Amino acid sequence: MSEKPIHTLSGAIRAGLACRCPRCGQGKVFQGFLALRPRCEVCGLDYGFADSGDGPAVFIMFLAGFIVVGAALITEVVYRPPFWVHAVLWLPLILIVTLGPLRPMKGLMIALQYHHQAAESRFGGGER
Ligand SMILES: [Zn+2]
């Protein structure tokens, strides 16, 4: 392995947002839109540890809800447009603010999971 491993939190965050391997920062994490590769093609890190679950979607739902509902309320109160204007404005915005950040957010969660060595709790963890 000739790549320098990432040891800093800022390096892990950069690699995660770029959807790169959390160990080497070079290999791609995804093989589809959200499907993970089995392992890093550069350093060989097994991505079996990665389980971001619903975390990225929950964060994005909060953020997107705040943006879209806030903008829709302000537009309605200030301009009082017909309903078709709301549909034309907010449906594309919903797609942009949900699908756009989903991949980088999942990459970030996986990178932070790797950086902090997060795993499910196990019983009998007294031995080290
Ligand atoms: Zn790697």
Side-chain angles (χ1 to χ4, degrees):
M1 187 172 72
S2 62
E3 301 77 26
K4 261 175 47 176
I6 297 170
H7 293 294
T8 62
L9 179 60
S10 63
I13 291 172
R14 267 197 306 276
L17 289 175
C19 302
R20 297 295 174 172
C21 170
R23 182 162 72 185
C24 69
Q26 303 293 316
K28 295 174 183 169
V29 172
F30 299 110
Q31 63 183 1
F33 183 63
L34 288 176
L36 293 178
R37 293 175 185 272
R39 61 184 34 84
C40 176
E41 74 247 2
V42 176
C43 72
L45 174 65
D46 185 359
Y47 292 146
F49 73 90
D51 181 20
S52 60
D54 294 335
V58 170
F59 281 119
I60 289 170
M61 278 177 7
F62 283 127
L63 184 68
F66 180 78
I67 292 171
V68 174
V69 172
L73 284 174
I74 290 171
T75 302
E76 176 61 28
V77 169
V78 173
Y79 300 107
R80 302 195 60 79
F83 285 120
W84 66 266
V85 173
H86 285 294
V88 169
L89 286 177
W90 311 129
L91 289 178
L93 183 64
I94 287 170
L95 291 177
I96 291 169
V97 297
T98 54
L99 296 179
L102 194 53
R103 213 172 126 111
M105 186 64 84
K106 185 170 180 176
L108 175 63
M109 300 283 269
I110 290 169
L112 291 177
Q113 188 178 7
Y114 178 78
H115 180 76
H116 294 293
Q117 298 175 349
E120 290 192 28
S121 61
R122 293 180 201 94
F123 289 109
E127 72 278 356
R128 285 196 174 200

